[in-house]
Amino acid sequence: MKSRNTVQRQLVHETVGRLADHPTAEEVYNCLHEDHPNISKGTVYRNLGYLSENGELRRIAVPGSADRFDHHTIPHYHIQCVCCGMFCDIDTPYLSQIDAKVEQATGFSCEKHDIVFQGVCPACKEKSE
Amino acid sequence: MKSRNTVQRQLVHETVGRLADHPTAEEVYNCLHEDHPNISKGTVYRNLGYLSENGELRRIAVPGSADRFDHHTIPHYHIQCVCCGMFCDIDTPYLSQIDAKVEQATGFSCEKHDIVFQGVCPACKEKSE
DNA sequence: ATTCATGCAAACAATTTGCACGATC
DNA sequence: GATCGTGCAAATTGTTTGCATGAAT
C-alpha cells in the first residue's frame, strides 16, 4: 500500500482542480495532453480512480454518460440538463439523515449517497417556447 | 409518432415483468432468447428504451454497471451491495418535495429523480468479519 | 535494488446504428 | 402499399488490462 508521488498523479489532481467544472476523464486527458503530449489515457483513468478511492477527488456517476470528477469533496448534489447536458452544483443541504433511514429499512450499511438530478435548464426552457 | 404493437415489444415488456427483480438488458435478452432464439439484442435494447420513454417501464441507471429495468413504475429507491452486487428495492418514502427545492435553488425544472444507494448487505457484512 | 507506475495498444462491456428485409397498420 | 420495426453485424463510447520499460523510494 505504498503509493508513489508521480508527476502524472499530481498533474491529474491539479487538472481536475483547474478545470473546476466536473470534467470527465476524457476532458482531463485532453487538457493535460496539450502541455504533456506523452501522458497516456490509461494513466489518467488509473489516477482518477486512485484519487477518488482515497478521497482526494469525488467520482460522480452520471446516468447515461461518462463519469465526472469533482475536486470539491464536501458532499453536495448535482443537476444536469437533459437537453444541453449542462452540469452543475446544487446549493441545497445534503440529506445526511437519509443514509440512516436506509440502513434501518434494509439492514445494509450505507455511509454515503449521490444524487444527480435531471431537469431542463433555464436557457433550454426558453428555447423550447 | 405512430407506434406499432409488435410481438417483440410485448415480449420485452412481459419479460421484464416476469423477471421481476430489475433485470439488465442482457438478462432480458438471455431469458427471451431461450424461447425465441431469433430475437435480436438490438431489438431488446430498442424496446427497453422505447418502453422506458413511454412510462411503461422504468430505467434505473446503476453507477458502474449496466442499466436495469423495473416494471414497477411507482417512484421508489434502490440499493446495491458494493461487494456482491445484490440489487433491491428500498421500502422508504419517496422524497417528492426535494424536486421542488432543487427547482428553487437552480431555476431548472425537474420532475423526478432517482437514487441508487451503495452499501454493504447483511450477508457481506458478516463474511468480512 | 525493488516495486510501483507509466505508455501503449489491445481487450472489454454496454449500447447504438446502418441497412436490407419483413411485419403492421 | 407506406412506413415503422426487426435482425444482423459493424461501429461507438467509456473504461480496463497485459506487458515491457521507466521512475520513485
Side-chain angles (χ1 to χ4, degrees):
Chain A
M1 253 264 152
K2 236 323 163 18
S3 101
R4 277 175 193 177
N5 201 24
T6 61
V7 179
Q8 290 89 336
R9 182 161 300 165
Q10 288 172 45
L11 284 169
V12 168
H13 195 183
E14 252 177 70
T15 304
V16 175
R18 176 126 27 82
L19 290 178
D21 216 21
H22 320 96
T24 61
E26 187 79 22
E27 285 162 357
V28 173
Y29 172 75
N30 288 338
C31 173
L32 215 35
H33 189 258
E34 286 178 21
D35 291 344
H36 305 268
N38 38 5
I39 198 167
S40 100
K41 202 173 264 193
T43 296
V44 171
Y45 274 95
R46 271 186 287 235
N47 280 315
L48 288 170
Y50 175 87
L51 293 164
S52 307
E53 294 263 291
N54 287 68
E56 303 187 55
L57 293 177
R58 203 172 163 78
R59 179 192 292 268
I60 315 165
V62 182
S65 61
D67 285 0
R68 292 172 174 273
F69 296 85
D70 197 340
H71 71 299
H72 194 212
T73 54
I74 298 165
H76 61 285
Y77 303 129
H78 300 92
I79 189 165
Q80 184 173 40
C81 178
V82 294
C83 303
C84 67
M86 206 244 285
F87 194 94
C88 55
D89 291 327
I90 301 180
D91 184 20
T92 265
Y94 184 78
L95 305 167
S96 45
Q97 71 284 12
I98 67 178
D99 289 330
K101 280 198 194 146
V102 166
E103 294 201 337
Q104 272 177 36
T106 62
F108 279 56
S109 60
C110 174
E111 329 80 42
K112 65 184 164 85
H113 64 272
D114 255 314
I115 315 179
V116 178
F117 292 85
Q118 313 272 146
V120 181
C121 76
C124 288
K125 268 195 286 185
E126 219 168 292
K127 250 181 271 168
S128 72
E129 268 149 34
Chain B
M1 255 263 153
K2 236 321 161 21
S3 102
R4 276 174 196 180
N5 203 24
T6 62
V7 180
Q8 291 89 334
R9 182 161 300 165
Q10 288 171 45
L11 284 169
V12 167
H13 195 186
E14 252 177 69
T15 304
V16 176
R18 178 128 24 84
L19 290 178
D21 216 22
H22 321 96
T24 61
E26 186 80 24
E27 286 163 356
V28 173
Y29 171 77
N30 288 338
C31 173
L32 215 35
H33 189 259
E34 286 177 20
D35 292 343
H36 305 268
N38 39 6
I39 199 167
S40 99
K41 201 173 267 193
T43 296
V44 171
Y45 274 96
R46 272 185 287 234
N47 280 315
L48 288 171
Y50 175 87
L51 293 164
S52 306
E53 294 264 291
N54 286 69
E56 304 187 54
L57 294 177
R58 202 173 162 77
R59 179 193 293 268
I60 315 166
V62 183
S65 62
D67 285 359
R68 293 171 173 273
F69 295 86
D70 197 339
H71 70 299
H72 194 209
T73 54
I74 298 167
H76 60 287
Y77 303 129
H78 299 92
I79 189 164
Q80 184 173 39
C81 177
V82 293
C83 303
C84 68
M86 207 244 284
F87 194 93
C88 55
D89 290 327
I90 301 179
D91 184 21
T92 264
Y94 183 79
L95 306 167
S96 46
Q97 70 284 11
I98 67 178
D99 289 330
K101 279 198 195 147
V102 167
E103 294 201 337
Q104 271 176 37
T106 62
F108 279 56
S109 59
C110 174
E111 328 80 44
K112 65 187 165 89
H113 64 273
D114 255 314
I115 316 179
V116 178
F117 292 85
Q118 313 273 146
V120 181
C121 76
C124 287
K125 267 195 286 184
E126 220 169 290
K127 249 182 273 168
S128 71
E129 268 149 35

